[in-house]
Amino acid sequence: MSETTPLQLAGKHVLLGLSGGIACYKSAELIRLLTKAGATVQVVMTAAAEQFITAVTLQALSGRAVVTSQWDAREPNNMAHINLGREADVMLIAPASADFIAKLAQGRADELLSLTALARPLDRCPLLVAPAMNREMWAHPATQRNVATLRADGALILGPDAGDQACGEVGDGRMLEAADLLEEVIAFFQPKLLAGRKLLITAGPTFEPIDPVRGITNLSSGKMGFAIARAAREAGAEVTLVAGPVHLPTPRGVRRIDVRTALQMHEAVLPLATQHEIFVATAAVADWRPATLNEHKIKKDGKKTSPTFELTENPDILAAVAALPDKPFCVGFAAESQDLLKHAREKLLRKKVPLIVGNLGPATFGRDDNALLLVDEQGQRELPHSDKLSLARELVQEIARRLAKP
Ligand code: C5P
């Protein structure tokens, strides 16, 4: 997240439970990230977790005394298991061992952490679970049965990841990295305005090769499109992101298809378009490409004559999707250098789409902030200057509102 992004968890109180597992070391980093994002974190540890990391470390990182025993007499009413769940906005178990998941599934309560999970008000303190275990333990039918039970009871299961395991084996069962868990906790608090919807989005520039080493491209960084992909996923949508050449991390839970040229983007988008209910064309697609591709690098010939290129027009991906009989709800972007409203309105008609989002290209390309102008048949609305993730969430709200209309 960028420096301009507001604290994503300001005012949130996270009850972080650690059960026993080598992934406990990742929870130390997670506490740092959660607190940096504005949350307060109360740590509860099982005796097994204390074998892997000390309460001293976690107290120092969270700035709060860690609770490890239901018999801890510091609580005036001596009911830590009740108080902890009443104060929290969410309970996150990370790492959740196979044994602890089994306990949660059975509703056992023989130590403080499971007791607290059982005693928490279900409607006010939801449960997030980040499993961490050996791949055989994860794949075991007993664990899978227990995880299914937790899901049915309303818990959200985060991960696990696949990859190298501490035991030397490779497979499913690694706990998500701290940064991934942070993204999931932030997503969890976003309203699910697009739950069950499928959204397709293009982002970034395209690169139109002249020869094997050179090409025509533009200054689009892809940040706005990636922020919209993230915001849509946070809102519960199933998101497919078709990205031009950019070096941005894929937002969690988003399916990404990488392309280079406008033709490749067109080829990737068109067959997918009708499988989605929403299409957002954020990409700064090159309007033209060199008509021919030189097989080898064009060399200076020593005669001071510059090469000339014939250009040919690229297909308009947005207009092509908007012309499909079974088209999704289409949102176009207009990156202009002046007369935003005029150009946006003109694009609305030319591309035959219900919504155009205008922004000033030179003022936003590569930056972490932006300002948007939403233009539709009814009128226009300004989304004032802000960080791109906040703007993306507002745009998602606008799209959800339009889809909700009968
Ligand atoms: O045609 P123009 O570039 O002015 O329109 C911009 C909008 O159209 C953006 O939403 C962009 O993603 C989309 N577009 C496209 N295919 C092109 C050119 C633009 O999808 N070849």
Side-chain angles (χ1 to χ4, degrees), residues 192-200 228 231-232 235-239 273 275-280 326-331 353-355 374 376 378 394-406:
K192 302 297 170 229
L193 299 171
L194 293 180
R197 305 272 196 187
K198 291 178 83 177
L199 179 143
L200 176 65
I228 296 167
E238 199 182 303
V239 179
Q275 298 167 28
H276 291 77
E277 292 159 281
I278 308 158
F279 174 56
V280 186
D326 201 9
K327 61 177 174 288
F329 180 85
C330 289
V331 182
V353 295
L355 179 62
L374 273 46
D376 66 7
Q378 273 74 49
E394 283 188 72
L395 178 61
V396 160
Q397 277 179 31
E398 290 283 342
I399 293 172
R401 194 167 55 77
R402 284 167 168 82
L403 285 178
K405 277 192 193 152

Side-chain angles (χ1 to χ4, degrees), residues 202 281-287 314-318 332-334 347 350-351:
T202 63
T282 332
V285 185
D287 291 322
N314 274 324
D316 188 317
I317 302 166
L318 176 58
F333 264 69
K347 243 167 248 196
R350 179 160 53 85
K351 308 238 178 189

Side-chain angles (χ1 to χ4, degrees), residues 233-364:
R233 191 263 174 172
E234 287 178 342
E238 199 182 303
V239 179
T240 308
L241 166 64
V242 180
V246 292
H247 299 282
L248 292 175
T250 311
R252 271 202 66 72
V254 166
R255 173 163 80 122
R256 174 173 179 171
I257 301 169
D258 282 317
V259 297
R260 216 153 86 105
T261 66
L263 283 179
Q264 288 168 354
M265 192 173 270
H266 184 262
E267 251 171 60
V269 165
L270 264 288
L272 292 175
T274 52
Q275 298 167 28
H276 291 77
E277 292 159 281
I278 308 158
F279 174 56
V280 186
T282 332
V285 185
D287 291 322
W288 300 280
R289 65 179 183 279
T292 52
L293 172 66
N294 277 278
E295 197 188 335
H296 296 290
K297 186 179 171 192
I298 303 169
K299 309 291 284 178
K300 284 184 274 191
D301 62 4
K303 287 188 240 150
K304 293 209 165 40
T305 50
S306 317
T308 52
F309 303 106
E310 202 183 315
L311 296 175
T312 183
E313 196 165 344
N314 274 324
D316 188 317
I317 302 166
L318 176 58
V321 171
L324 292 171
D326 201 9
K327 61 177 174 288
F329 180 85
C330 289
V331 182
F333 264 69
E336 305 294 342
S337 56
Q338 58 175 351
D339 291 338
L340 197 51
L341 181 58
K342 180 170 148 270
H343 289 300
R345 204 154 275 300
E346 179 264 319
K347 243 167 248 196
L348 194 72
L349 300 176
R350 179 160 53 85
K351 308 238 178 189
K352 298 193 176 60
V353 295
L355 179 62
I356 287 281
V357 182
N359 58 173
L360 291 170
T364 181

Side-chain angles (χ1 to χ4, degrees), residues 42-43 55 59 62-67 74:
Q42 174 61 57
V43 178
Q59 175 170 350
S62 63
R64 285 171 164 252
V66 170
V67 200
R74 282 174 300 182

